[in-house]
Amino acid sequence: MLGRWDIDQAICVSHTSKENTVLRSGISPDKVFMVPNAVDTAMFTPSSNRLSCDEIIIVVISRLVYRKGADLLVEVIPEVCRLFPKVRFIVGGDGPKRVRLEEMREKFSLQDRVEMLGAVPHAQVRSVLISGHIFLNSSLTEAFCIAILEAASCGLLTVSTRVGGVPEVLPDDMIVLAEPDPEDMVRAVRQAIDILPGIDPQIMHRRMKKLYSWDDVAKRTEIVYDRAMQSSNTNLLDRLPRYLTCGAWAGKLFCLVMIINYLVWCLLEFLQPAEGIEEVPDIGPLHIHSDSVDDQCEAQRN
């Protein structure tokens, strides 16, 4: 309810996220823009030496929780190991579901084929990714999933559940999608193994550099902020009574927060007058120009 009253513009990282935001909050679709996340391609680069396919290594880097599909991994990993004797798994991440994965490894005697790394600092993610051929994402819900961007930038073929905004992130030839079902995920892994010889990590990395850039994200975000600054603002005194209807305690808390925000804003306006800020030209709704990854790809092809 709060969103309908006070949000001038909103940013979502995928079309799916935009649809959910519009449906749940009641915000006008014209006020919601899709600006995807990106990846630091200078940090996530492929290995200079291409890995041999004599042994196929599947990498999983995720929080080991229910939402990230850790229970699916418990069923998928043993079956993949049974079907493909030359496949090995590297699992990075920690969480309450780690115990189930450890138990699975013991039950099926996969200690030599499933390596459990525990929590992986972000600075070390690349070193883990470039040790593998395939990145496996088993999430049950995702608005976008930066992890598969990082994997693709490192040259890994991705196998992922078809959930949320994931189908929007990568071109079809860089990802194999599956339903969040163990049997279908095993099928997707099999398909990925079959097409793996045709994957060139260096070419994949160069494509990611063209598709995703934090500079582009920053420019598009700035445009949305500029549109919000140009929107008509409701007087604070008119807005405060609306917050009071949000609950006996929550309403008072919202009012207090908004008053503090207003005072901080006034202070910033005093320290940095608005006329000193360089504005980005208003180019209209972003979806007309570059509303999705696919649109960006098409523009580059032309």
Side-chain angles (χ1 to χ4, degrees), residues 60-62 64 90-95 98 102 115-121 128:
V60 177
I61 300 181
S62 170
L64 302 180
I90 297 177
V91 180
D94 206 350
R98 179 176 178 176
E102 297 279 9
E115 182 180 359
M116 303 290 294
L117 300 180
V120 179
V128 177

mmCIF file of all heavy atoms in Angstrom, residues 60-62 64 90-95 98 102 115-121 128:
data_model
loop_
_atom_site.group_PDB
_atom_site.id
_atom_site.type_symbol
_atom_site.label_atom_id
_atom_site.label_comp_id
_atom_site.label_asym_id
_atom_site.label_seq_id
_atom_site.Cartn_x
_atom_site.Cartn_y
_atom_site.Cartn_z
ATOM 1 N N VAL A 60 29.443 -25.841 -8.099
ATOM 2 C CA VAL A 60 28.280 -25.259 -7.425
ATOM 3 C C VAL A 60 28.812 -24.272 -6.397
ATOM 4 O O VAL A 60 29.605 -24.640 -5.529
ATOM 5 C CB VAL A 60 27.427 -26.325 -6.713
ATOM 6 C CG1 VAL A 60 26.265 -25.660 -5.962
ATOM 7 C CG2 VAL A 60 26.911 -27.358 -7.701
ATOM 8 N N ILE A 61 28.415 -23.010 -6.505
ATOM 9 C CA ILE A 61 28.760 -22.012 -5.483
ATOM 10 C C ILE A 61 27.477 -21.322 -5.085
ATOM 11 O O ILE A 61 26.874 -20.596 -5.872
ATOM 12 C CB ILE A 61 29.785 -20.983 -5.996
ATOM 13 C CG1 ILE A 61 31.083 -21.675 -6.412
ATOM 14 C CG2 ILE A 61 30.081 -19.948 -4.910
ATOM 15 C CD1 ILE A 61 32.156 -20.722 -6.921
ATOM 16 N N SER A 62 27.049 -21.580 -3.855
ATOM 17 C CA SER A 62 25.732 -21.092 -3.423
ATOM 18 C C SER A 62 25.618 -21.205 -1.916
ATOM 19 O O SER A 62 26.322 -22.008 -1.285
ATOM 20 C CB SER A 62 24.631 -21.924 -4.091
ATOM 21 O OG SER A 62 23.370 -21.650 -3.545
ATOM 22 N N LEU A 64 23.932 -22.778 1.000
ATOM 23 C CA LEU A 64 23.289 -24.089 1.070
ATOM 24 C C LEU A 64 22.049 -24.006 1.954
ATOM 25 O O LEU A 64 22.031 -24.432 3.110
ATOM 26 C CB LEU A 64 24.296 -25.124 1.595
ATOM 27 C CG LEU A 64 25.569 -25.243 0.744
ATOM 28 C CD1 LEU A 64 26.506 -26.293 1.323
ATOM 29 C CD2 LEU A 64 25.230 -25.559 -0.711
ATOM 30 N N ILE A 90 32.508 -29.852 -7.424
ATOM 31 C CA ILE A 90 33.108 -28.959 -6.427
ATOM 32 C C ILE A 90 31.985 -28.090 -5.893
ATOM 33 O O ILE A 90 31.344 -27.355 -6.651
ATOM 34 C CB ILE A 90 34.212 -28.076 -7.030
ATOM 35 C CG1 ILE A 90 35.365 -28.940 -7.540
ATOM 36 C CG2 ILE A 90 34.719 -27.079 -6.000
ATOM 37 C CD1 ILE A 90 36.474 -28.137 -8.218
ATOM 38 N N VAL A 91 31.708 -28.183 -4.607
ATOM 39 C CA VAL A 91 30.603 -27.454 -3.991
ATOM 40 C C VAL A 91 31.160 -26.420 -3.017
ATOM 41 O O VAL A 91 31.792 -26.768 -2.010
ATOM 42 C CB VAL A 91 29.646 -28.402 -3.249
ATOM 43 C CG1 VAL A 91 28.494 -27.608 -2.619
ATOM 44 C CG2 VAL A 91 29.111 -29.467 -4.196
ATOM 45 N N GLY A 92 30.954 -25.146 -3.341
ATOM 46 C CA GLY A 92 31.368 -24.055 -2.467
ATOM 47 C C GLY A 92 30.157 -23.398 -1.846
ATOM 48 O O GLY A 92 29.157 -23.153 -2.516
ATOM 49 N N GLY A 93 30.236 -23.138 -0.557
ATOM 50 C CA GLY A 93 29.117 -22.501 0.127
ATOM 51 C C GLY A 93 28.858 -23.158 1.465
ATOM 52 O O GLY A 93 29.321 -24.272 1.736
ATOM 53 N N ASP A 94 28.108 -22.456 2.290
ATOM 54 C CA ASP A 94 27.784 -22.975 3.622
ATOM 55 C C ASP A 94 26.336 -22.640 3.937
ATOM 56 O O ASP A 94 25.721 -21.806 3.279
ATOM 57 C CB ASP A 94 28.711 -22.355 4.662
ATOM 58 C CG ASP A 94 28.888 -23.244 5.880
ATOM 59 O OD1 ASP A 94 28.144 -24.250 5.996
ATOM 60 O OD2 ASP A 94 29.765 -22.948 6.709
ATOM 61 N N GLY A 95 25.803 -23.301 4.923
ATOM 62 C CA GLY A 95 24.416 -23.069 5.306
ATOM 63 C C GLY A 95 23.848 -24.285 6.006
ATOM 64 O O GLY A 95 24.508 -25.328 6.109
ATOM 65 N N ARG A 98 24.033 -27.837 4.465
ATOM 66 C CA ARG A 98 25.320 -28.475 4.206
ATOM 67 C C ARG A 98 25.373 -29.876 4.819
ATOM 68 O O ARG A 98 25.987 -30.787 4.250
ATOM 69 C CB ARG A 98 26.458 -27.619 4.749
ATOM 70 C CG ARG A 98 27.829 -28.248 4.528
ATOM 71 C CD ARG A 98 28.955 -27.360 4.966
ATOM 72 N NE ARG A 98 30.245 -28.010 4.785
ATOM 73 C CZ ARG A 98 31.421 -27.437 5.008
ATOM 74 N NH1 ARG A 98 31.469 -26.170 5.398
ATOM 75 N NH2 ARG A 98 32.551 -28.109 4.831
ATOM 76 N N GLU A 102 26.634 -33.379 3.108
ATOM 77 C CA GLU A 102 27.675 -34.206 3.714
ATOM 78 C C GLU A 102 27.165 -35.635 3.913
ATOM 79 O O GLU A 102 27.884 -36.610 3.652
ATOM 80 C CB GLU A 102 28.119 -33.608 5.055
ATOM 81 C CG GLU A 102 28.753 -32.235 4.967
ATOM 82 C CD GLU A 102 30.220 -32.284 4.573
ATOM 83 O OE1 GLU A 102 30.692 -33.378 4.210
ATOM 84 O OE2 GLU A 102 30.869 -31.225 4.611
ATOM 85 N N GLU A 115 33.743 -32.579 -3.745
ATOM 86 C CA GLU A 115 34.596 -31.796 -2.852
ATOM 87 C C GLU A 115 33.784 -30.675 -2.214
ATOM 88 O O GLU A 115 33.179 -29.865 -2.917
ATOM 89 C CB GLU A 115 35.779 -31.210 -3.635
ATOM 90 C CG GLU A 115 36.749 -30.417 -2.786
ATOM 91 C CD GLU A 115 37.905 -29.864 -3.593
ATOM 92 O OE1 GLU A 115 37.957 -30.122 -4.811
ATOM 93 O OE2 GLU A 115 38.754 -29.153 -2.998
ATOM 94 N N MET A 116 33.767 -30.616 -0.906
ATOM 95 C CA MET A 116 33.026 -29.590 -0.166
ATOM 96 C C MET A 116 34.006 -28.526 0.324
ATOM 97 O O MET A 116 34.859 -28.802 1.176
ATOM 98 C CB MET A 116 32.284 -30.219 1.017
ATOM 99 C CG MET A 116 31.317 -31.328 0.644
ATOM 100 S SD MET A 116 29.843 -30.745 -0.231
ATOM 101 C CE MET A 116 29.047 -29.783 1.048
ATOM 102 N N LEU A 117 33.883 -27.321 -0.200
ATOM 103 C CA LEU A 117 34.830 -26.254 0.128
ATOM 104 C C LEU A 117 34.422 -25.424 1.332
ATOM 105 O O LEU A 117 35.263 -24.758 1.929
ATOM 106 C CB LEU A 117 34.995 -25.324 -1.079
ATOM 107 C CG LEU A 117 35.508 -25.936 -2.380
ATOM 108 C CD1 LEU A 117 35.605 -24.850 -3.448
ATOM 109 C CD2 LEU A 117 36.847 -26.610 -2.179
ATOM 110 N N GLY A 118 33.140 -25.440 1.674
ATOM 111 C CA GLY A 118 32.661 -24.519 2.697
ATOM 112 C C GLY A 118 32.487 -23.131 2.110
ATOM 113 O O GLY A 118 32.437 -22.941 0.888
ATOM 114 N N ALA A 119 32.396 -22.125 2.965
ATOM 115 C CA ALA A 119 32.195 -20.748 2.506
ATOM 116 C C ALA A 119 33.364 -20.296 1.644
ATOM 117 O O ALA A 119 34.529 -20.537 1.981
ATOM 118 C CB ALA A 119 32.019 -19.823 3.707
ATOM 119 N N VAL A 120 33.053 -19.629 0.530
ATOM 120 C CA VAL A 120 34.077 -19.142 -0.397
ATOM 121 C C VAL A 120 34.020 -17.615 -0.433
ATOM 122 O O VAL A 120 33.010 -17.053 -0.866
ATOM 123 C CB VAL A 120 33.858 -19.703 -1.820
ATOM 124 C CG1 VAL A 120 34.920 -19.158 -2.770
ATOM 125 C CG2 VAL A 120 33.862 -21.225 -1.804
ATOM 126 N N PRO A 121 35.077 -16.920 0.021
ATOM 127 C CA PRO A 121 35.088 -15.453 -0.080
ATOM 128 C C PRO A 121 34.945 -15.019 -1.530
ATOM 129 O O PRO A 121 35.425 -15.706 -2.448
ATOM 130 C CB PRO A 121 36.474 -15.074 0.479
ATOM 131 C CG PRO A 121 36.878 -16.242 1.321
ATOM 132 C CD PRO A 121 36.290 -17.452 0.652
ATOM 133 N N VAL A 128 37.770 -20.677 -8.022
ATOM 134 C CA VAL A 128 36.977 -21.903 -7.960
ATOM 135 C C VAL A 128 36.284 -22.147 -9.291
ATOM 136 O O VAL A 128 36.279 -23.268 -9.820
ATOM 137 C CB VAL A 128 35.942 -21.836 -6.815
ATOM 138 C CG1 VAL A 128 35.063 -23.087 -6.808
ATOM 139 C CG2 VAL A 128 36.637 -21.680 -5.469
#
